[in-house]
Amino acid sequence: MLEQTRTKVRGLTVWLGETVNDWFGDRPFEDGGEVTHGRLGLRLLWRQDEGWDTNVRLRARFDLPNLRDKAYIFLGRQNERELVTDQPETFTREQQLLEERRKEDQSGFIGLGYALRRNIDLRAGVRGGYKVYAQARLRKQWALSVQDRIEFRETVFWTVKDHFGSTTSFNYEHAFTPALALHWQNAATITKETDGFAWSSSLGLFRQFGDQRVLSGEIVATGETGMRDKLSEYGVRVKWQQPVYRDWLIGELIAGHFWPKGDEEPEREQRWAVGANLEMRF
């Protein structure tokens, strides 16, 4: 059943790629076209005092021959705010074990991207049926040594509601051994709606056991610089990831203990949270 489901999902996306490719010229999709970064995910979340929450995410990229190699189509379904601001995966609501504020926050999207250079691309798309957004993205990596690596990402985005905004992320990785590494990850987003900038940071150890099996433990924190209490939440989370079926059905279990505090709340609360994610790669 899993094989059939994956084959049907893959077949549907290839058909869609062929259809869209034909809009732009006569080169057939088989002439260099492909579907990449295909992901279909299901999340189940429980957070203390908030109960259960579920959602489905989808994303895929289509490299189309008629767009002359550098351009591509992307589509999917995910948190609308995270899509527009280009939040790193580490700081998505899914990974922070936060429920969606509203079901409307999850929306479908489709867009066109163009690789201006190897590490710069421009993207424009529509999400939620009719809301337009645009992005310019820069990604750069440096190897400081055999054991140390840093990554810088900058995304400038525009929407009708927010006008211009940006998300900056900086990540540092130190490898103690080929299987054990320290990750320090940071992101800051500025929009018309944020007080100052919204920031997130995590520090943790990641241990690989081969065959996509990874165990991690992290200290995480989020906040906004313009708020009265600049640290809105901090906590710890532990995550285990491994293949469930072959190498394309990946299971993930996350557990965390957090201390959130609203701007109008006198004291911090304590919250336990558990999340289970199942992702099909196609």
Side-chain angles (χ1 to χ4, degrees), residues 47-194:
R47 190 173 174 103
Q48 189 176 353
D49 297 334
E50 295 179 1
W52 295 93
D53 184 45
T54 60
N55 65 61
V56 176
R57 292 194 176 200
L58 169 68
R59 61 183 182 270
R61 169 171 163 161
F62 302 82
D63 296 319
L64 307 179
N66 284 322
L67 291 178
R68 306 303 178 193
D69 302 324
K70 288 189 175 182
Y72 58 90
I73 298 289
F74 59 93
L75 60 80
R77 174 183 170 82
Q78 71 176 72
N79 181 281
E80 185 175 309
R81 199 67 184 163
E82 293 168 0
L83 168 70
V84 171
T85 61
D86 197 22
Q87 285 298 310
E89 182 71 19
T90 301
F91 304 122
T92 60
R93 297 186 69 81
E94 178 179 287
Q95 291 295 307
Q96 295 190 90
L97 298 175
L98 295 169
E99 67 175 0
E100 297 295 342
R101 296 186 181 92
R102 300 172 299 128
K103 291 302 180 183
E104 292 79 6
D105 289 344
Q106 287 280 324
S107 64
F109 64 88
I110 186 168
L112 174 66
Y114 182 79
L116 192 62
R117 294 184 180 178
R118 185 173 61 87
N119 58 346
I120 300 176
D121 63 335
L122 307 176
R123 310 204 325 173
V126 178
R127 84 280 185 198
Y130 60 89
K131 292 176 281 187
V132 178
Y133 72 98
Q135 297 171 330
R137 308 195 305 174
L138 166 67
R139 299 187 181 190
K140 189 72 174 178
Q141 293 184 355
W142 294 271
L144 302 180
S145 68
V146 176
Q147 295 176 298
D148 299 279
R149 182 177 63 89
I150 61 175
E151 178 186 53
F152 172 79
R153 290 175 47 186
E154 179 71 26
T155 299
V156 177
F157 55 87
W158 174 89
T159 69
V160 174
K161 181 180 179 181
D162 292 324
H163 302 298
F164 284 98
S166 70
T167 296
T168 304
S169 66
F170 175 83
N171 304 324
Y172 167 73
E173 178 182 340
H174 174 78
F176 296 104
T177 70
L180 179 64
L182 172 74
H183 288 210
W184 180 37
Q185 304 176 77
N186 304 274
T189 298
I190 300 175
T191 72
K192 189 175 69 173
E193 293 185 348
T194 57

Side-chain angles (χ1 to χ4, degrees), residues 195 224-231 261-266:
D195 292 320
E224 285 192 30
T225 58
M227 303 289 282
R228 184 174 62 185
D229 194 325
K230 296 176 175 56
L231 180 60
K261 183 179 183 299
D263 214 35
E264 303 299 327
E265 297 174 355

